[in-house]
């Protein structure tokens, strides 16, 4: 039986809501280890608009935050 398709997170840039409400998410959590390994004191993300910069920041914020689960 075919699995039901997930919703696309159009306009959504809050990582927690995206995961909790089970939206379609392209896994970019590899960025965490990349930053821990090669990150500088300051990191500049140069990408065009709508490339997921804000969502990635939200993902990092939730990973490194000591609050929540
Ligand atoms: N990893 C992802 N998985 C699924 N959708 C994504 C992903 N990254 C971005 N998107 C989609 O693209 C939109 C734009 O992302 P956003 O973080 O606001 O981009 P930027 O800040 O670079 O302009 C989001 O609202 C979401 O719909
Ligand atoms: Mg943005």
């Amino acid at each position: 039986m075919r699995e039901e398709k997930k919703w696309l997170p159009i306009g959504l840039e809050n990582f927690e809501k995206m995961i909790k409400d089970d939206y379609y998410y392209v896994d970019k959590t590899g960025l965490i280890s990349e930053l821990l390994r090669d990150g500088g004191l300051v990191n500049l993300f140069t990408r065009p608009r709508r490339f997921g910069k804000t969502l990635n920041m939200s993902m990092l914020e939730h990973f490194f935050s000591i609050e929540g689960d």
Side-chain angles (χ1 to χ4, degrees):
M1 200 166 66
R2 197 166 64 93
E3 249 184 86
E4 205 182 311
K5 282 188 183 167
K6 296 188 177 192
W7 287 94
L8 285 171
I10 296 167
L12 198 59
E13 52 190 37
N14 180 305
F15 183 72
E16 184 176 19
K17 183 166 175 59
M18 190 169 250
I19 297 303
K20 283 196 170 151
D21 293 351
D22 200 26
Y23 281 89
Y24 186 91
Y25 176 62
V26 179
D27 189 356
K28 296 198 179 166
T29 51
L31 181 65
I32 296 169
S33 59
E34 213 174 293
L35 277 174
L36 288 175
R37 224 181 306 115
D38 309 319
L41 197 57
V42 173
N43 298 284
L44 172 68
F45 298 93
T46 52
R47 290 289 182 280
R49 62 194 292 272
R50 312 301 289 165
F51 262 62
K53 299 181 297 296
T54 300
L55 181 63
N56 274 337
M57 288 306 113
S58 177
M59 183 268 290
L60 292 173
E61 183 186 354
H62 282 90
F63 182 80
F64 287 109
S65 170
I66 55 170
E67 292 154 27
D69 39 49

